[in-house]
Amino acid sequence: MSQSFVLDGKGIPFEDGQTILQAAGNAGVFIPHLCFHPEFKPHGSCKLCTVKVNGRHTASCTMRAMPGMVVESNTEELNGERRALTQMLFVEGNHFCPSCEKSGNCQLQATAYHLGMMSPHFDHFFPNRAVDASHPEFLLDFNRCILCSLCVRASRDVDGKNVFALSGRGIKTHLIVNAKSGRLADTDFSLADKAASVCPVGVILRKRQGFAVPIGERRFDKAPIEASAKEA
Amino acid sequence: MDAPRKLKVATTSLAGCFGCHMSFLDIDERLFTLLEHIEFDRSPLTDIKHVSPGTDIGIIEGGLCNAENVHVLREFRQNCRILIAIGACAVNGGLPAQRNHLPLPVILEEVYHTSPGLANGLIPNDPELPLPLNKVHPIHEVVKIDYFIPGCPPSGDAIWKVLTDLLAGREPELGHGLMHYD
């Protein structure tokens, strides 16, 4: 007989080594997440996937499923906390969806829709962050970085290049390019890199492709993010 | 029995482009249904200059880019039972807030003095002109906002949904397809 745990009152089967997030995804139950990607080792930093396991908060992308666990996820309390985290991500950067070519394909935006985020609630930081348009094929718009580290992990672990890194600590943490000049053009970053296609928001953008698919016909225009549970 | 009192609705555009008002008009013939339940107070549609005390719903487009915007917003908050922020600029500053990473003197200098084609430009300083704020702010940073309709602009359908939810006494909710930040 297979093993299972209880998620929001429903039995979820799992295999040894699977995390709560993976097992829920296999069962078609969506748990919001931003820094998790099925092809990478979990990072556990965005905290959007936080659930309560036997009454205690924990990141479901790093917590292994165990038989008999009682897990809460889709509750008013947890979704409220997720919404507050998402609002903080929005006010800490410069997320102006009307002028972003990732709009409609953006996981941050789709997650905010899913959580019913009607306003940023907090005061905006309006940080001053320069863009890097030095690379012939790619634009980096740091205004939209949510520090998920997926590009860092992809470039280091898959591409073997180490093009990106997170620098600084705490509120000063920011994404940097590993080149003496700090410019993407002075790295060996290329179109074929995994890191070129892994950004969940609008930081790493391929030039001259922005509106190949028009607004209104994009991924999350067609179906909300909760419909993609199985991709976890 | 008397018919129920019509709700008084006021609208304004602060640092906005009137696009949200245009989108409001996109509810098309539903305006007639709406007018069975509401009457307009201060609004670009009526040209009434001040919000009447006891107004039920105030709808604010645009963020705050100058002192007059703040003044008008406070007048709305003082006189409206429910205040709704409509559109990206009211919700997060939107397009006007793209100036926020530049110091205001640098912007004024470039716009009136150093841009190509300007000869002896003067920075306008007529006392009638409201002073610009150092940064553009979304309106929830200054007064309490009861409801938000995001979008640039929100669709006529989204605006209709929120208004009809409120008129029916329901908590407004935009589902997939109506909820847009762009």
Tab-separated table of all heavy atoms in Angstrom, chain A residues 10-55:
chain	number	residue	atom	x	y	z
A	10	LYS	N	-7.674	16.171	2.658
A	10	LYS	CA	-7.708	15.219	1.550
A	10	LYS	C	-6.448	14.357	1.567
A	10	LYS	O	-5.337	14.874	1.794
A	10	LYS	CB	-7.781	16.033	0.248
A	10	LYS	CG	-8.033	15.235	-1.008
A	10	LYS	CD	-8.074	16.171	-2.228
A	10	LYS	CE	-7.508	15.450	-3.446
A	10	LYS	NZ	-7.256	16.313	-4.591
A	11	GLY	N	-6.585	13.066	1.328
A	11	GLY	CA	-5.430	12.168	1.316
A	11	GLY	C	-4.564	12.395	0.087
A	11	GLY	O	-5.063	12.474	-1.024
A	12	ILE	N	-3.238	12.567	0.310
A	12	ILE	CA	-2.313	12.787	-0.806
A	12	ILE	C	-1.266	11.665	-0.770
A	12	ILE	O	-0.497	11.553	0.190
A	12	ILE	CB	-1.589	14.150	-0.672
A	12	ILE	CG1	-2.571	15.310	-0.533
A	12	ILE	CG2	-0.586	14.353	-1.819
A	12	ILE	CD1	-3.243	15.753	-1.809
A	13	PRO	N	-1.209	10.812	-1.808
A	13	PRO	CA	-0.188	9.759	-1.824
A	13	PRO	C	1.192	10.339	-2.144
A	13	PRO	O	1.278	11.379	-2.799
A	13	PRO	CB	-0.661	8.839	-2.958
A	13	PRO	CG	-1.501	9.699	-3.848
A	13	PRO	CD	-2.071	10.794	-3.003
A	14	PHE	N	2.241	9.695	-1.689
A	14	PHE	CA	3.583	10.184	-2.038
A	14	PHE	C	4.564	9.029	-2.066
A	14	PHE	O	4.310	7.944	-1.527
A	14	PHE	CB	4.050	11.257	-1.050
A	14	PHE	CG	4.335	10.749	0.336
A	14	PHE	CD1	5.626	10.340	0.690
A	14	PHE	CD2	3.322	10.666	1.284
A	14	PHE	CE1	5.887	9.866	1.972
A	14	PHE	CE2	3.583	10.181	2.568
A	14	PHE	CZ	4.863	9.785	2.907
A	15	GLU	N	5.701	9.287	-2.719
A	15	GLU	CA	6.784	8.307	-2.744
A	15	GLU	C	7.916	8.797	-1.859
A	15	GLU	O	8.058	10.007	-1.654
A	15	GLU	CB	7.298	8.134	-4.181
A	15	GLU	CG	6.336	7.343	-5.051
A	15	GLU	CD	6.588	7.579	-6.537
A	15	GLU	OE1	7.726	7.934	-6.894
A	15	GLU	OE2	5.618	7.426	-7.313
A	16	ASP	N	8.738	7.877	-1.382
A	16	ASP	CA	9.856	8.247	-0.507
A	16	ASP	C	10.709	9.335	-1.143
A	16	ASP	O	11.041	9.254	-2.320
A	16	ASP	CB	10.751	7.024	-0.236
A	16	ASP	CG	10.199	6.197	0.919
A	16	ASP	OD1	9.471	6.795	1.753
A	16	ASP	OD2	10.463	4.989	0.969
A	17	GLY	N	11.020	10.369	-0.372
A	17	GLY	CA	11.899	11.427	-0.872
A	17	GLY	C	11.149	12.600	-1.468
A	17	GLY	O	11.738	13.655	-1.688
A	18	GLN	N	9.862	12.433	-1.741
A	18	GLN	CA	9.109	13.558	-2.310
A	18	GLN	C	8.823	14.616	-1.240
A	18	GLN	O	8.585	14.292	-0.075
A	18	GLN	CB	7.770	13.066	-2.875
A	18	GLN	CG	7.848	12.645	-4.330
A	18	GLN	CD	6.472	12.362	-4.897
A	18	GLN	OE1	5.599	11.836	-4.211
A	18	GLN	NE2	6.288	12.697	-6.162
A	19	THR	N	8.825	15.862	-1.669
A	19	THR	CA	8.435	16.925	-0.745
A	19	THR	C	6.917	17.069	-0.748
A	19	THR	O	6.231	16.537	-1.627
A	19	THR	CB	9.053	18.270	-1.164
A	19	THR	OG1	8.558	18.610	-2.458
A	19	THR	CG2	10.575	18.212	-1.181
A	20	ILE	N	6.416	17.826	0.215
A	20	ILE	CA	4.968	18.076	0.289
A	20	ILE	C	4.504	18.756	-0.999
A	20	ILE	O	3.487	18.398	-1.590
A	20	ILE	CB	4.644	18.955	1.514
A	20	ILE	CG1	4.969	18.204	2.808
A	20	ILE	CG2	3.176	19.395	1.494
A	20	ILE	CD1	4.853	19.060	4.066
A	21	LEU	N	5.293	19.751	-1.463
A	21	LEU	CA	4.931	20.501	-2.673
A	21	LEU	C	4.855	19.577	-3.893
A	21	LEU	O	3.905	19.649	-4.693
A	21	LEU	CB	5.955	21.617	-2.918
A	21	LEU	CG	5.645	22.577	-4.070
A	21	LEU	CD1	4.506	23.503	-3.708
A	21	LEU	CD2	6.875	23.402	-4.434
A	22	GLN	N	5.838	18.686	-4.036
A	22	GLN	CA	5.848	17.768	-5.185
A	22	GLN	C	4.675	16.799	-5.134
A	22	GLN	O	3.998	16.580	-6.142
A	22	GLN	CB	7.157	16.962	-5.209
A	22	GLN	CG	8.355	17.759	-5.656
A	22	GLN	CD	9.667	17.024	-5.403
A	22	GLN	OE1	9.803	16.272	-4.434
A	22	GLN	NE2	10.629	17.258	-6.281
A	23	ALA	N	4.431	16.220	-3.964
A	23	ALA	CA	3.347	15.245	-3.843
A	23	ALA	C	1.996	15.912	-4.096
A	23	ALA	O	1.131	15.368	-4.782
A	23	ALA	CB	3.374	14.601	-2.459
A	24	ALA	N	1.831	17.138	-3.567
A	24	ALA	CA	0.577	17.870	-3.788
A	24	ALA	C	0.407	18.153	-5.274
A	24	ALA	O	-0.679	17.969	-5.831
A	24	ALA	CB	0.573	19.172	-2.981
A	25	GLY	N	1.494	18.589	-5.914
A	25	GLY	CA	1.450	18.879	-7.344
A	25	GLY	C	1.047	17.656	-8.158
A	25	GLY	O	0.178	17.733	-9.029
A	26	ASN	N	1.663	16.495	-7.823
A	26	ASN	CA	1.305	15.254	-8.535
A	26	ASN	C	-0.175	14.938	-8.398
A	26	ASN	O	-0.796	14.390	-9.298
A	26	ASN	CB	2.112	14.068	-7.993
A	26	ASN	CG	3.541	14.102	-8.490
A	26	ASN	OD1	3.862	14.857	-9.414
A	26	ASN	ND2	4.400	13.300	-7.872
A	27	ALA	N	-0.722	15.303	-7.235
A	27	ALA	CA	-2.143	15.021	-6.987
A	27	ALA	C	-3.037	16.134	-7.538
A	27	ALA	O	-4.249	16.117	-7.334
A	27	ALA	CB	-2.370	14.841	-5.485
A	28	GLY	N	-2.429	17.126	-8.210
A	28	GLY	CA	-3.222	18.195	-8.821
A	28	GLY	C	-3.621	19.296	-7.855
A	28	GLY	O	-4.499	20.104	-8.160
A	29	VAL	N	-2.964	19.342	-6.677
A	29	VAL	CA	-3.281	20.407	-5.710
A	29	VAL	C	-2.193	21.479	-5.790
A	29	VAL	O	-1.002	21.188	-5.608
A	29	VAL	CB	-3.363	19.855	-4.267
A	29	VAL	CG1	-3.653	20.984	-3.290
A	29	VAL	CG2	-4.436	18.774	-4.182
A	30	PHE	N	-2.599	22.713	-6.062
A	30	PHE	CA	-1.649	23.808	-6.248
A	30	PHE	C	-1.279	24.440	-4.914
A	30	PHE	O	-2.144	24.799	-4.121
A	30	PHE	CB	-2.274	24.871	-7.158
A	30	PHE	CG	-1.422	26.094	-7.355
A	30	PHE	CD1	-0.242	26.028	-8.086
A	30	PHE	CD2	-1.810	27.316	-6.821
A	30	PHE	CE1	0.538	27.159	-8.275
A	30	PHE	CE2	-1.031	28.452	-7.008
A	30	PHE	CZ	0.153	28.373	-7.734
A	31	ILE	N	0.034	24.555	-4.666
A	31	ILE	CA	0.522	25.342	-3.526
A	31	ILE	C	1.345	26.479	-4.129
A	31	ILE	O	2.297	26.236	-4.871
A	31	ILE	CB	1.397	24.490	-2.574
A	31	ILE	CG1	0.575	23.327	-2.002
A	31	ILE	CG2	1.948	25.363	-1.447
A	31	ILE	CD1	1.371	22.387	-1.105
A	32	PRO	N	0.977	27.750	-3.876
A	32	PRO	CA	1.705	28.878	-4.473
A	32	PRO	C	3.207	28.807	-4.173
A	32	PRO	O	3.597	28.408	-3.069
A	32	PRO	CB	1.079	30.107	-3.807
A	32	PRO	CG	-0.271	29.665	-3.368
A	32	PRO	CD	-0.116	28.213	-2.993
A	33	HIS	N	4.036	29.162	-5.161
A	33	HIS	CA	5.486	29.147	-4.967
A	33	HIS	C	6.133	30.033	-6.016
A	33	HIS	O	5.570	30.244	-7.085
A	33	HIS	CB	6.034	27.720	-5.102
A	33	HIS	CG	5.667	27.070	-6.415
A	33	HIS	ND1	4.533	26.307	-6.573
A	33	HIS	CD2	6.268	27.094	-7.628
A	33	HIS	CE1	4.453	25.894	-7.837
A	33	HIS	NE2	5.497	26.363	-8.498
A	34	LEU	N	7.302	30.570	-5.707
A	34	LEU	CA	8.029	31.401	-6.671
A	34	LEU	C	9.462	30.921	-6.888
A	34	LEU	O	9.938	30.879	-8.009
A	34	LEU	CB	8.036	32.873	-6.221
A	34	LEU	CG	6.678	33.590	-6.312
A	34	LEU	CD1	6.747	34.950	-5.617
A	34	LEU	CD2	6.246	33.761	-7.762
A	35	CYS	N	10.183	30.560	-5.810
A	35	CYS	CA	11.594	30.196	-5.985
A	35	CYS	C	11.761	28.716	-6.280
A	35	CYS	O	12.843	28.268	-6.621
A	35	CYS	CB	12.431	30.614	-4.778
A	35	CYS	SG	12.172	29.634	-3.293
A	36	PHE	N	10.670	27.955	-6.179
A	36	PHE	CA	10.743	26.529	-6.498
A	36	PHE	C	10.593	26.307	-7.995
A	36	PHE	O	9.808	26.974	-8.660
A	36	PHE	CB	9.647	25.751	-5.762
A	36	PHE	CG	9.547	24.309	-6.197
A	36	PHE	CD1	10.407	23.356	-5.681
A	36	PHE	CD2	8.611	23.922	-7.151
A	36	PHE	CE1	10.341	22.030	-6.110
A	36	PHE	CE2	8.537	22.597	-7.582
A	36	PHE	CZ	9.395	21.657	-7.056
A	37	HIS	N	11.395	25.370	-8.538
A	37	HIS	CA	11.277	24.966	-9.939
A	37	HIS	C	11.541	23.463	-9.954
A	37	HIS	O	12.518	23.001	-9.361
A	37	HIS	CB	12.325	25.715	-10.777
A	37	HIS	CG	12.192	25.509	-12.254
A	37	HIS	ND1	12.453	24.299	-12.855
A	37	HIS	CD2	11.823	26.363	-13.242
A	37	HIS	CE1	12.252	24.419	-14.165
A	37	HIS	NE2	11.868	25.661	-14.424
A	38	PRO	N	10.680	22.687	-10.642
A	38	PRO	CA	10.798	21.223	-10.545
A	38	PRO	C	12.162	20.684	-10.977
A	38	PRO	O	12.556	19.606	-10.544
A	38	PRO	CB	9.688	20.709	-11.475
A	38	PRO	CG	9.227	21.879	-12.278
A	38	PRO	CD	9.542	23.094	-11.474
A	39	GLU	N	12.909	21.420	-11.808
A	39	GLU	CA	14.193	20.898	-12.295
A	39	GLU	C	15.367	21.246	-11.387
A	39	GLU	O	16.502	20.905	-11.691
A	39	GLU	CB	14.457	21.433	-13.712
A	39	GLU	CG	13.477	20.889	-14.737
A	39	GLU	CD	13.606	21.602	-16.072
A	39	GLU	OE1	14.744	21.819	-16.525
A	39	GLU	OE2	12.556	21.966	-16.643
A	40	PHE	N	15.099	21.982	-10.303
A	40	PHE	CA	16.208	22.405	-9.452
A	40	PHE	C	16.003	21.994	-8.002
A	40	PHE	O	14.876	21.794	-7.563
A	40	PHE	CB	16.386	23.925	-9.517
A	40	PHE	CG	16.773	24.393	-10.880
A	40	PHE	CD1	15.814	24.844	-11.763
A	40	PHE	CD2	18.094	24.329	-11.291
A	40	PHE	CE1	16.164	25.249	-13.034
A	40	PHE	CE2	18.450	24.732	-12.563
A	40	PHE	CZ	17.488	25.199	-13.435
A	41	LYS	N	17.128	21.903	-7.289
A	41	LYS	CA	17.064	21.650	-5.855
A	41	LYS	C	16.306	22.800	-5.199
A	41	LYS	O	16.564	23.962	-5.527
A	41	LYS	CB	18.494	21.611	-5.293
A	41	LYS	CG	18.831	20.294	-4.612
A	41	LYS	CD	20.287	20.266	-4.210
A	41	LYS	CE	20.469	20.861	-2.816
A	41	LYS	NZ	21.856	20.721	-2.344
A	42	PRO	N	15.405	22.508	-4.283
A	42	PRO	CA	14.654	23.611	-3.657
A	42	PRO	C	15.571	24.580	-2.903
A	42	PRO	O	16.605	24.187	-2.376
A	42	PRO	CB	13.683	22.905	-2.711
A	42	PRO	CG	14.154	21.505	-2.606
A	42	PRO	CD	14.980	21.197	-3.808
A	43	HIS	N	15.141	25.831	-2.865
A	43	HIS	CA	15.928	26.903	-2.259
A	43	HIS	C	15.280	27.348	-0.947
A	43	HIS	O	15.944	27.813	-0.032
A	43	HIS	CB	15.985	28.058	-3.259
A	43	HIS	CG	16.992	29.111	-2.969
A	43	HIS	ND1	16.647	30.422	-2.735
A	43	HIS	CD2	18.341	29.051	-2.888
A	43	HIS	CE1	17.757	31.123	-2.524
A	43	HIS	NE2	18.787	30.332	-2.617
A	44	GLY	N	13.951	27.252	-0.878
A	44	GLY	CA	13.229	27.536	0.373
A	44	GLY	C	13.305	28.972	0.819
A	44	GLY	O	13.215	29.269	2.006
A	45	SER	N	13.466	29.924	-0.124
A	45	SER	CA	13.690	31.301	0.309
A	45	SER	C	12.495	32.226	0.140
A	45	SER	O	12.379	33.202	0.873
A	45	SER	CB	14.885	31.898	-0.449
A	45	SER	OG	14.633	31.914	-1.837
A	46	CYS	N	11.598	31.942	-0.815
A	46	CYS	CA	10.522	32.919	-1.042
A	46	CYS	C	9.409	32.786	-0.007
A	46	CYS	O	8.688	33.742	0.247
A	46	CYS	CB	9.960	32.815	-2.461
A	46	CYS	SG	8.792	31.468	-2.731
A	47	LYS	N	9.275	31.598	0.553
A	47	LYS	CA	8.313	31.319	1.641
A	47	LYS	C	6.845	31.360	1.217
A	47	LYS	O	5.963	31.250	2.060
A	47	LYS	CB	8.527	32.263	2.843
A	47	LYS	CG	9.918	32.200	3.428
A	47	LYS	CD	10.231	30.829	4.025
A	47	LYS	CE	11.676	30.746	4.457
A	47	LYS	NZ	12.129	29.355	4.638
A	48	LEU	N	6.609	31.526	-0.091
A	48	LEU	CA	5.219	31.527	-0.572
A	48	LEU	C	4.565	30.170	-0.349
A	48	LEU	O	3.361	30.075	-0.173
A	48	LEU	CB	5.190	31.847	-2.073
A	48	LEU	CG	4.842	33.258	-2.536
A	48	LEU	CD1	3.368	33.513	-2.425
A	48	LEU	CD2	5.611	34.307	-1.764
A	49	CYS	N	5.367	29.098	-0.391
A	49	CYS	CA	4.798	27.750	-0.316
A	49	CYS	C	4.620	27.292	1.126
A	49	CYS	O	4.356	26.118	1.383
A	49	CYS	CB	5.672	26.763	-1.083
A	49	CYS	SG	7.210	26.375	-0.239
A	50	THR	N	4.774	28.227	2.070
A	50	THR	CA	4.641	27.871	3.484
A	50	THR	C	3.279	27.234	3.774
A	50	THR	O	2.242	27.744	3.358
A	50	THR	CB	4.829	29.120	4.372
A	50	THR	OG1	6.160	29.600	4.187
A	50	THR	CG2	4.605	28.794	5.848
A	51	VAL	N	3.329	26.103	4.448
A	51	VAL	CA	2.116	25.414	4.896
A	51	VAL	C	2.248	25.185	6.405
A	51	VAL	O	3.289	25.476	6.989
A	51	VAL	CB	1.955	24.045	4.187
A	51	VAL	CG1	1.716	24.239	2.694
A	51	VAL	CG2	3.169	23.150	4.425
A	52	LYS	N	1.185	24.672	7.015
A	52	LYS	CA	1.300	24.266	8.411
A	52	LYS	C	1.314	22.749	8.460
A	52	LYS	O	0.398	22.107	7.953
A	52	LYS	CB	0.123	24.792	9.217
A	52	LYS	CG	0.296	26.211	9.710
A	52	LYS	CD	-0.785	26.504	10.730
A	52	LYS	CE	-0.748	27.938	11.186
A	52	LYS	NZ	-1.829	28.183	12.168
A	53	VAL	N	2.404	22.196	9.024
A	53	VAL	CA	2.507	20.751	9.193
A	53	VAL	C	2.312	20.443	10.670
A	53	VAL	O	3.097	20.915	11.495
A	53	VAL	CB	3.874	20.228	8.714
A	53	VAL	CG1	3.985	18.737	8.979
A	53	VAL	CG2	4.071	20.529	7.236
A	54	ASN	N	1.280	19.710	10.945
A	54	ASN	CA	0.922	19.427	12.347
A	54	ASN	C	0.926	20.707	13.184
A	54	ASN	O	1.436	20.744	14.295
A	54	ASN	CB	1.868	18.380	12.949
A	54	ASN	CG	1.812	17.065	12.182
A	54	ASN	OD1	0.797	16.748	11.539
A	54	ASN	ND2	2.894	16.301	12.206
A	55	GLY	N	0.408	21.793	12.562
A	55	GLY	CA	0.253	23.052	13.296
A	55	GLY	C	1.435	23.988	13.229
A	55	GLY	O	1.372	25.100	13.737
